[in-house]
Amino acid sequence: MSDLAVDGPHVKVISGPDQGSTFAVGSLLRIGRDPTNDLQLRDTKSSRRHAAIERQGENFVVCDLGSRNGTWLNERSIRTASLKDGDRIYIGDTIIEFIMPRSADVEQQDSITGGTTGGGLTLVLRAGEEDAVAGALRGQTLEVSRVALLQSKDDEGDIEKLRQLNERLRKLYEVNQVLSSLMPLSDLLDRILEIVFEFLPAERGLILLKEPDKGFTPVAGRTREDGSAEEIPISGTLLKKVITEKVALLSGDVLQDSRLDPSESIVIQGITSCLTVPMVHREVVLGVIHLDTQGSYAAFAEDDLEIVTAIATQAAVAVENARLLQKVEQTAVARDNLSRYLGPELVEAVMTGESDFAMEGSVNEATILFADIRGFTSLSERIPPQLVVKLLNEYFEIMVDIILERGGVVDKFVGDEIMAVWGVPTPAENDAFNAVSAAIKMQQALCMYNEERARMEEEPIYMGIGINTGTVVAGNLGSSKRMQYTVIGDAVNLASRMEGLTTREQILMSQSTFDLVKDKVHTIDRGQVSVKGKQDAVQVFEVKGLQDTRTAELGRTHERVKTAMPVRCVRVASHQLFQAVLLDISPGGAGIRYSLEVVKDLKMGEKLILGFVSPGEQKILIKGEVVRIVDPKARRKDVRVFGMKFVEVPPNIQEVIEKVLLKGGSADLSPEDA
């Protein structure tokens, strides 16, 4: 450095170990701790290659070169910034003032002058080098920036050092690309070690991750001679120091390093140099990267430590992200599994910890529902097994949706029987009413399902439902290999007996349930009935509907009206209008024949609108969805028949059926009706 007065653009160290030094600024001024810099700093907080001041035409800019502690301009952190007279550059404990005399005739120079250096250094930016990595780590990401390759006319060794640095930084960029990929965590860590071995003199490499209840466990290992390795010895003292103090350690001589306590195995294997870096994320050590060498010729340098530290920091972020993703996936699977048995509110309560399935069991007041298909055994003997399975899956899908919608828990399936519970694991004020209303809707849904089966010339099925309210024991029962959450007790047995008393399409409930819902439900007193397991007869009530509805007889299938009336439909998703033929209609749905030349891609579950214009010119729209698509009996290849389940019907739907369709009307619909 020079303390001489300088007339042109220059910098002056006004604070720090090198206070008072002055240095002229030519085309490029390199600043850092390394002796190869033009302005060498003795500040220990500065990096070996910390920053540079570069001339750009008549202006000057200061650039951070990927320093560990950053570069500040006028108390503002910068990467690249323009300089003006009086600006102050902060590097560690050093403050450097940039001075630009107004009277100075600044000439464009190609060399750097000043200090005691003899010749100048010329800045050369080679083609294709603009995307080279200049910094190791900024925040929590590895960033790509420009790096200037300095060609020295007098010192070819300096060029080689820069070439090596550039190559290492390119490998660092490659590591960052790997860490950004979506490969499994174990494969990702193996790939990191593989890349590290390409540019560091490591003979052995090991990555450890902190596992719950296991401590730090090896997850990736590698040796230069054999490739992947399962066991690599590491000093326990070194590992403890790195983890507890959250510091990276470089030891050029393990045997002589007072910080370490080499094990016998390390001595035997001839480990002489090691580099151990913690993987830290948000002040938490998630893992450790350990590298070691055999032989003094392979000792690590300070640059190696800086690069591995950058890799470890980014790897920690990748590990944390991978674990968060795994946790999200596990939570999604758990939520999906619970949703098969619990309603949305209960699922959320369990997932958030507000409710729990007690392993040891708990005593609860609950309402239990049993539903069973009448005559299922004989039905299953008349149809092929694959159709039996298909029938049960369709039936369960309908009934379970209703149970969950009403806040129930699906306890189990036993053949064609469904057992559901309200009040566990979390009780609600209206558990009994929710169970009864679910039973009513189940019978109504079965009627609509039977209408669909009739259209396809399949025989109907019928269901009996029994309901009881009482005290139960709830918990996980079973063996260590298989557990099941269920409820047991006399209340459960009585609900099952109630179901056994039903005829087809009946809903029967006990006195205890009746007492809780009698103000909201239409019932018929069926008197006292003797049931198995009870010494005394029990009072039985038949449910006929809810008091705030006009529900008459439950379980009675609506009369289907057959017709051959041309109709129009609109596909809600695409607004496509198509002509079809209405084969039959009831308040629950319709059977419709259509041509494949008109509609080729109709799908199950697709939303449709059916439209009519009455003799009085009143347009009537009926919304529904496709529930089944079949070939007609004639086996015509150019037509199909689909069942349409109504999801929204006008209040006068019965009048529409009886007056409009029977007496005649016209079909009229436009795409805008969707």
Side-chain angles (χ1 to χ4, degrees), residues 23 26-30 36 38 109-124 150-156 158-159:
F23 211 96
S27 300
L28 181 68
L29 179 69
R30 301 169 300 177
T36 60
D38 306 294
Q109 302 177 27
D110 295 327
S111 62
I112 303 172
T113 61
T116 57
T117 56
L121 295 176
T122 303
L123 175 67
V124 179
L150 302 176
Q151 183 178 17
S152 174
K153 297 179 181 179
D154 301 323
D155 189 0
E156 296 295 333
D158 194 42
I159 296 177

Side-chain angles (χ1 to χ4, degrees), residues 122-389:
T122 303
L123 175 67
V124 179
L125 184 62
R126 297 179 179 174
E129 302 282 0
E130 294 188 1
D131 63 343
V133 182
L137 180 69
R138 304 189 191 275
Q140 295 180 344
T141 59
L142 306 178
E143 296 188 1
V144 179
S145 61
R146 294 181 56 182
V147 60
L149 298 182
L150 302 176
Q151 183 178 17
S152 174
K153 297 179 181 179
D154 301 323
D155 189 0
E156 296 295 333
D158 194 42
I159 296 177
E160 178 62 21
K161 288 181 181 179
L162 291 173
R163 187 196 66 77
Q164 293 177 359
L165 176 62
N166 184 61
E167 182 62 25
R168 290 187 175 187
L169 294 174
R170 287 185 180 275
K171 290 295 183 181
L172 192 62
Y173 178 78
E174 186 177 348
V175 170
N176 183 54
Q177 295 298 104
V178 172
L179 291 168
S180 303
S181 64
L182 297 176
M183 66 177 67
L185 184 59
S186 57
D187 295 343
L188 182 147
L189 297 177
D190 283 334
R191 179 58 182 149
I192 289 175
L193 281 180
E194 183 180 342
I195 296 174
V196 168
F197 270 59
E198 293 177 4
F199 65 95
L200 290 185
E203 297 293 330
R204 306 164 187 262
L206 183 68
I207 296 180
L208 304 94
L209 293 183
K210 186 177 182 181
E211 302 289 349
D213 305 323
K214 294 182 180 180
F216 286 84
T217 304
V219 293
R222 189 174 186 86
T223 66
R224 188 169 296 279
E225 183 177 351
D226 302 323
S228 60
E230 295 182 357
E231 295 185 4
I232 296 177
I234 181 173
S235 168
T237 303
L238 184 150
L239 184 62
K240 182 179 180 181
K241 185 176 183 64
V242 169
I243 294 171
T244 56
E245 299 183 15
K246 303 176 185 177
V247 295
L249 288 180
L250 169 64
S251 178
D253 191 343
V254 174
L255 299 179
Q256 300 299 321
D257 198 325
S258 60
R259 300 172 298 175
L260 308 180
D261 183 19
S263 64
E264 183 179 350
S265 60
I266 292 179
V267 175
I268 294 175
Q269 295 176 65
I271 306 301
T272 56
S273 178
C274 69
L275 195 163
T276 308
V277 180
M279 298 162 55
V280 183
H281 182 62
R282 295 179 179 177
E283 302 299 320
V284 177
V285 180
L286 302 181
V288 173
I289 298 178
H290 172 80
L291 306 170
D292 58 42
T293 65
Q294 296 174 304
S296 59
Y297 67 90
F300 296 109
E302 184 180 345
D303 287 346
D304 301 329
L305 180 62
E306 292 180 359
I307 291 178
V308 176
T309 299
I311 294 173
T313 302
Q314 186 67 2
V317 176
V319 169
E320 180 68 11
N321 291 340
R323 287 177 170 175
L324 288 174
L325 178 60
Q326 185 182 33
K327 186 177 181 180
V328 169
E329 291 175 344
Q330 291 173 344
T331 301
V333 171
R335 187 182 296 274
D336 182 64
N337 290 335
L338 285 173
S339 66
R340 300 173 187 269
Y341 304 94
L342 309 178
E345 294 182 359
L346 282 179
V347 170
E348 192 62 29
V350 173
M351 296 303 298
T352 57
E354 296 178 10
S355 178
D356 191 16
F357 295 104
M359 294 292 293
E360 68 279 5
S362 61
V363 178
N364 299 76
E365 189 76 10
T367 298
I368 307 98
L369 178 150
F370 280 89
D372 186 73
I373 298 177
R374 291 287 165 265
F376 182 76
T377 301
S378 60
L379 175 64
S380 61
E381 293 174 350
R382 296 192 300 270
I383 61 178
Q386 60 270 27
L387 293 183
V388 173
V389 174

